[in-house]
């Protein structure tokens, strides 16, 4: 008979307990040493994971007629763009559910239009006003409104002031007719309780009986650009599940090869709106002129064709055409939100933020977020879109530009907008581009740890913005060849130059007939801008599309050791180029290199030489300095020769993070602009130069 010791040692229970203890110790040790990894090992793991993901990712659903290999978004003769996973393992730690941002101040008044007259409507009961503002009687509240009009894109002009008091007997106050902008203030007991900017956009006159009897024809196609700043295609798939589900039930095409062509919103959208690059505009209509009044934009063409035109953004300080210039002296479109947003920023703006370690800060006016003002603008214009052909551009930047997780909070907002467009019948005669300009370039305080933009996938996503086209079903029936081309181009390399040509075609629908499309296809060149109603040539690459190598997703990136001599020399060359650029600005401190965070070989897959290729225009020539001849041959981790490198580096002072692509041979030179991936606005307050501010750390 076994003794007690033997029973304890050799029993099944003891063996099981021993195994559990061993597994627990293994997990604890693995977790401990795993957490000791520095930035370099984190980046290396992320790079390898995406390399594996590219081989296993299934191609998202698409209406394209092409059969595309599963691991590529684009797989043509001129471009191989590897697929990404929206929910790759290394992305998951950055995803958090944000608390709703509430603007805490009272929304005392709203606007209403009744029988063509504009009214301010008192929006609260007396008990609510007592609770929020300590007001006992409505008669204790005295108010004044100032009407203002737009002078130009920098200044508004006040044209009158009226005083009034709130009353329980009268909840409406008539203020005028037509388009009106009002700045309103209310106070009680010597304290301001309401400060807001409101606007009126009257609906169009009702159609006559004759117009009501006349059936709606499709002679003209309206255009709506619904833009969401800093939204990559992958981030759309992560953040807009309800929008994606809604769109799946509609005729649409999702474009997987849409590649950014410029550093920021201005550079990308200017190509869409004018068909020209910023440099080309500076050499022509914008030369020596701080406004864009002499430049021709797409809305000018649509206006000349009898369309109603509208343009609105949920900011005036960081909007597309005034952030780096003075915008327009003459109002560019018939309906224009900028005067409202300008008055909000100057007179009624304040900030609200969520609580906690992972917080966000948003801009408000009274009880509304900036985005609510943009949504109000869109909804008030829908009666006009319903009745008359229209061209509209609505651009949202607040929140999504700065915070990784904010996009998820506006999913329902855009479903409501799309549903309203559908229910009002506007979708039945409108081409809608749901799009962005680039992916997230900065990370805010809604995430912790290493910035998402510093990961390999974060770097790649910056250059793959969202683009989805929604169109009426009758277009496929009326223009079968043009729409087949549109769907086939869903897996072609595209830029905003192509979108410009596409929207020009909308003005001339007769050009989309099968006969015209066939005729135009025979004479098609491999140009930088091609209408999506025509077939994008398989030979197109980043050179012919004029996409700088630094933004080009057709390259297969292969990691290089940051300690390679070629990498260190390239990083120092980038730093010297930046310091040469800021040298004429004594208020900017010279930068010094802290660390090369990562490096990649851009020469692993050379783009094929295409006949009739358009030579690539130089970008930011001021940042290019003459480099030394390179008499060495570097190699990447796979043993391939290196001729072109992308480096990611950190600098001081200012803790800057920069990315740049450098050609090594025969002489070093920058291949495209240097980009920055950390927030720098508060550090560059001493300069007001678009080309300098991202490099300047003020003394």
């Amino acid at each position: 008979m076994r003794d007690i010791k033997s029973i304890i040692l050799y029993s099944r229970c003891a063996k099981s307990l021993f195994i559990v203890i061993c597994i627990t110790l293994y997990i604890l040790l693995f977790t401990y040493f795993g957490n000791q990894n520095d930035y370099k090992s984190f980046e290396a793991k992320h790079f390898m994971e995406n390399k594996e993901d590219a081989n296993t990712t299934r191609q998202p659903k698409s209406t394209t007629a092409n059969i595309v290999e599963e691991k590529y978004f684009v797989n043509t003769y001129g471009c191989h763009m590897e697929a990404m996973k929206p929910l790759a393992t290394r992305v998951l730690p950055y995803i958090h559910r944000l608390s709703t941002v509430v603007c805490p101040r009272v929304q005392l008044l709203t606007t209403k239009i009744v029988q063509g007259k504009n009214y301010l409507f008192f929006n609260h009961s007396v008990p609510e006003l007592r609770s929020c503002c300590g007001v006992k009687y409505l008669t204790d509240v005295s108010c004044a409104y100032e009407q203002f009009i737009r002078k130009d894109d920098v200044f508004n002009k006040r044209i009158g002031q009226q005083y009034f008091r709130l009353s329980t007997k009268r909840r409406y106050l008539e203020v005028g007719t037509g388009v009106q902008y009002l700045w309103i203030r209310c106070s009680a007991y010597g304290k301001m309780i309401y400060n807001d900017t409101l606007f009126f956009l009257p609906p169009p006159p009702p159609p006559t009986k004759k117009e009501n009897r006349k059936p709606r024809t499709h002679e003209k196609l309206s255009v709506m650009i619904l833009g969401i700043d800093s939204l990559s295609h992958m981030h759309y798939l992560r953040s807009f599940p309800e929008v994606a589900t809604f769109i799946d039930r509609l005729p649409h095409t999702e474009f997987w090869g849409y590649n950014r062509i410029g550093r920021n919103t201005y550079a990308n959208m200017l190509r869409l709106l004018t068909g020209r690059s910023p440099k080309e505009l500076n050499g022509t209509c914008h030369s020596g002129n701080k406004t864009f009044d002499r430049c021709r934009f797409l809305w000018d063409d649509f206006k000349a064709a009898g369309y109603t035109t509208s343009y609105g953004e949920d900011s005036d300080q960081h909007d597309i055409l005034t952030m780096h210039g003075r915008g327009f002296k003459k109002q560019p479109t018939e309906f224009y939100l900028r005067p409202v947003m300008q008055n909000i920023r100057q007179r009624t703006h304040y900030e609200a933020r969520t609580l906690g370690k992972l917080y966000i800060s948003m801009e408000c006016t009274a009880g509304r977020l900036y985005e609510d003002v943009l949504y109000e603008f869109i909804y008030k214009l829908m009666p006009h879109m319903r009745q008359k052909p229209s061209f509209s551009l609505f651009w949202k930047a607040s929140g999504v530009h700065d915070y990784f997780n904010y996009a998820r909070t506006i999913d329902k907002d855009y479903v409501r907008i799309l549903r309203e467009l559908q229910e009002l019948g506007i979708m039945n005669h409108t081409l809608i581009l749901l799009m962005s300009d680039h992916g997230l370039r900065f990370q805010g305080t809604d995430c912790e740890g290493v910035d998402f933009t510093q990961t390999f996938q974060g770097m790649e996503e910056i250059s793959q913005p969202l683009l989805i086209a929604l169109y009426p079903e009758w277009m496929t029936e009326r223009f079968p060849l043009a729409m087949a081309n549109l769907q086939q181009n869903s897996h072609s390399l595209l830029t905003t130059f192509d979108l410009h040509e596409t929207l020009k075609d909308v003005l001339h629908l007769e050009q989309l007939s099968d006969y015209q499309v066939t005729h135009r296809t025979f004479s098609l060149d491999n140009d930088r801008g091609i209408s999506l109603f025509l077939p994008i040539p398989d030979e197109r690459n980043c050179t012919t599309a004029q996409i700088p190598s630094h933004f080009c997703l057709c390259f297969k990136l292969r990691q290089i050791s940051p300690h390679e001599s070629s990498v260190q020399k390239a990083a120092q060359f980038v730093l010297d180029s930046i310091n040469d650029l800021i040298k004429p600005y004594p208020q900017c401190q010279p930068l010094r290199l802290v660390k090369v965070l990562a490096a990649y070989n851009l020469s692993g897959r050379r783009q094929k030489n295409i006949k009739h290729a358009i030579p690539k225009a130089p970008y930011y020539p001021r940042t290019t300095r003459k480099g030394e001849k390179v008499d060495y041959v570097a190699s990447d981790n796979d043993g391939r020769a290196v001729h072109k490198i992308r480096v990611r580096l950190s600098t001081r002072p200012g803790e800057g993070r920069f990315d740049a692509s450098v050609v090594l041979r025969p002489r070093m030179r920058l291949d495209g602009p240097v980009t920055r991936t950390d927030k720098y606005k508060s550090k560059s307050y001493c300069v007001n130069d678009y080309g300098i501010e991202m490099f300047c750390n003020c003394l």
Side-chain angles (χ1 to χ4, degrees), residues 496-513:
T496 46
F497 276 135
D498 301 308
L499 297 183
H500 178 82
E501 298 300 322
T502 304
L503 296 185
K504 282 171 62 177
D505 267 354
V506 170
L507 281 169
H508 307 284
L509 291 182
E510 68 278 2
Q511 293 288 323
L512 302 186
S513 68

Side-chain angles (χ1 to χ4, degrees), residues 79-94:
C79 177
H80 301 277
M81 186 183 295
E82 291 192 337
M84 290 181 272
K85 277 186 176 181
L87 295 175
T89 307
R90 291 295 174 183
V91 178
L92 298 179
Y94 297 93

Side-chain angles (χ1 to χ4, degrees), residues 361-410:
S361 178
M362 296 292 291
E363 295 170 308
C364 301
T365 176
R368 298 169 296 157
L369 292 166
Y370 274 24
E371 63 196 40
D372 296 323
V373 180
L374 175 63
Y375 300 155
E376 180 185 352
F377 184 66
I378 296 173
Y379 284 116
K380 285 182 174 179
L381 285 171
M382 286 187 185
H384 294 269
M385 301 174 196
R386 190 180 185 186
Q387 191 165 313
K388 188 178 178 182
S390 62
F391 175 92
S392 52
L393 167 59
F394 305 121
W395 198 264
K396 169 164 181 50
S398 62
V400 289
H401 182 273
D402 298 313
Y403 303 110
F404 180 84
N405 289 292
Y406 193 80
R408 185 68 179 86
T409 69
I410 61 172

Side-chain angles (χ1 to χ4, degrees), residues 454-613:
Q454 299 303 315
T455 66
F456 178 76
Q457 179 151 337
M459 176 182 68
E460 293 282 87
E461 284 191 22
I462 296 175
S463 291
Q464 199 212 15
L466 171 70
L467 177 60
I468 301 175
L470 295 88
Y471 38 80
E473 196 166 354
W474 57 262
M475 287 192 69
T476 305
E477 300 169 2
R478 184 174 169 186
F479 308 117
L481 185 55
M483 297 307 292
N485 287 333
L486 181 83
Q487 293 165 8
Q488 183 169 318
N489 288 332
S490 65
H491 289 284
S492 297
L493 180 64
L494 310 174
T495 73
T496 46
F497 276 135
D498 301 308
L499 297 183
H500 178 82
E501 298 300 322
T502 304
L503 296 185
K504 282 171 62 177
D505 267 354
V506 170
L507 281 169
H508 307 284
L509 291 182
E510 68 278 2
Q511 293 288 323
L512 302 186
S513 68
D514 284 5
Y515 173 79
Q516 288 291 342
V517 169
T518 302
H519 177 73
R520 294 167 66 191
T521 301
F522 280 129
S523 58
L524 189 64
D525 290 325
N526 192 7
D527 293 329
R528 69 180 185 182
I530 298 172
S531 170
L532 298 184
F533 296 118
L534 302 175
I536 301 294
D538 268 7
E539 295 80 14
R540 170 178 274 194
N541 59 26
C542 286
T543 302
T544 58
Q546 293 194 0
I547 302 171
S549 296
H550 188 56
F551 303 143
C552 179
L553 292 174
C554 297
F555 289 109
K556 183 179 179 66
L557 301 183
R558 291 181 170 87
Q559 202 168 28
I560 315 172
S561 168
H563 305 294
E564 282 270 358
S565 61
S566 60
V567 172
Q568 291 294 321
K569 289 184 179 181
Q572 189 59 49
F573 178 78
V574 172
L575 193 70
D576 292 342
S577 299
I578 294 174
N579 284 331
D580 283 352
L581 182 63
I582 62 177
K583 198 171 184 179
Y585 298 83
Q587 67 270 40
C588 301
Q589 302 179 70
L591 302 181
R592 64 181 186 276
L593 181 65
V594 175
K595 185 179 181 181
V596 177
L597 302 172
Y600 305 95
N601 181 6
L602 290 175
S603 313
R605 177 186 285 113
R606 287 189 180 183
Q607 295 191 82
K608 300 170 177 65
N609 293 322
I610 308 299
K611 196 175 181 181
H612 308 304

Side-chain angles (χ1 to χ4, degrees), residues 137-150:
Y137 306 102
L138 280 184
T139 52
D140 294 336
V141 180
S142 59
C143 301
Y145 69 82
E146 286 188 15
Q147 187 171 348
F148 61 91
I149 59 174
R150 177 187 181 274

Side-chain angles (χ1 to χ4, degrees), residues 422-449:
Q422 183 188 42
E423 291 176 355
L424 291 176
I426 296 171
M427 278 189 178
N428 196 40
H429 54 83
T430 305
L431 171 65
I432 300 173
L433 296 182
L434 180 62
M435 63 173 294
S436 190
D437 48 351
H438 50 71
L440 187 73
R441 296 192 297 138
F442 314 107
Q443 178 177 302
T445 49
D446 63 321
C447 294
E448 57 185 350

Side-chain angles (χ1 to χ4, degrees), residues 142-283:
S142 59
C143 301
Y145 69 82
E146 286 188 15
Q147 187 171 348
F148 61 91
I149 59 174
R150 177 187 181 274
K151 183 179 179 182
D152 54 31
D153 271 357
V154 180
F155 300 105
N156 291 326
K157 180 181 178 181
R158 303 181 197 178
I159 59 172
Q161 180 171 280
Q162 294 289 333
Y163 295 91
F164 64 97
R165 284 187 178 273
L166 299 184
S167 169
T168 53
K169 297 180 180 179
R170 188 179 63 176
R171 301 184 69 85
Y172 288 89
L173 176 69
E174 184 181 342
V175 294
T177 59
V179 176
Q180 280 188 290
Y181 308 133
L182 302 180
W183 173 30
I184 308 168
R185 292 152 292 165
C186 294
S187 59
Y189 318 122
K191 177 184 175 183
M192 184 175 292
I193 63 170
Y194 180 63
N195 184 26
D196 199 7
T197 303
L198 298 176
F199 65 97
F200 295 88
L201 293 181
T208 63
K209 291 182 179 179
K210 184 178 179 181
E211 289 173 329
N212 274 331
R213 288 195 300 267
K214 188 177 179 181
R216 179 69 185 256
T217 60
H218 303 303
E219 295 175 358
K220 291 185 177 181
L221 181 67
S222 294
V223 170
M224 178 185 293
I225 300 173
L226 273 179
I228 303 174
D229 204 291
S230 304
L231 184 67
S232 72
H233 203 140
M234 296 301 101
H235 202 41
Y236 162 77
L237 296 176
R238 288 190 288 265
S239 306
F240 287 82
E242 293 190 34
V243 169
T245 301
F246 184 83
I247 287 177
D248 277 345
R249 301 193 294 265
L250 302 171
H252 73 283
T253 299
E254 200 162 349
F255 296 93
W256 301 93
Y258 176 45
N259 202 123
R260 77 160 163 166
I261 195 170
R263 178 167 66 90
N264 55 15
T265 312
Y266 173 75
N268 288 289
M269 290 301 294
L270 206 62
R271 289 168 165 89
L272 187 156
L273 295 172
T274 68
R276 298 182 183 182
S277 68
K279 183 179 179 181
E280 289 167 345
L281 281 186
N282 289 338

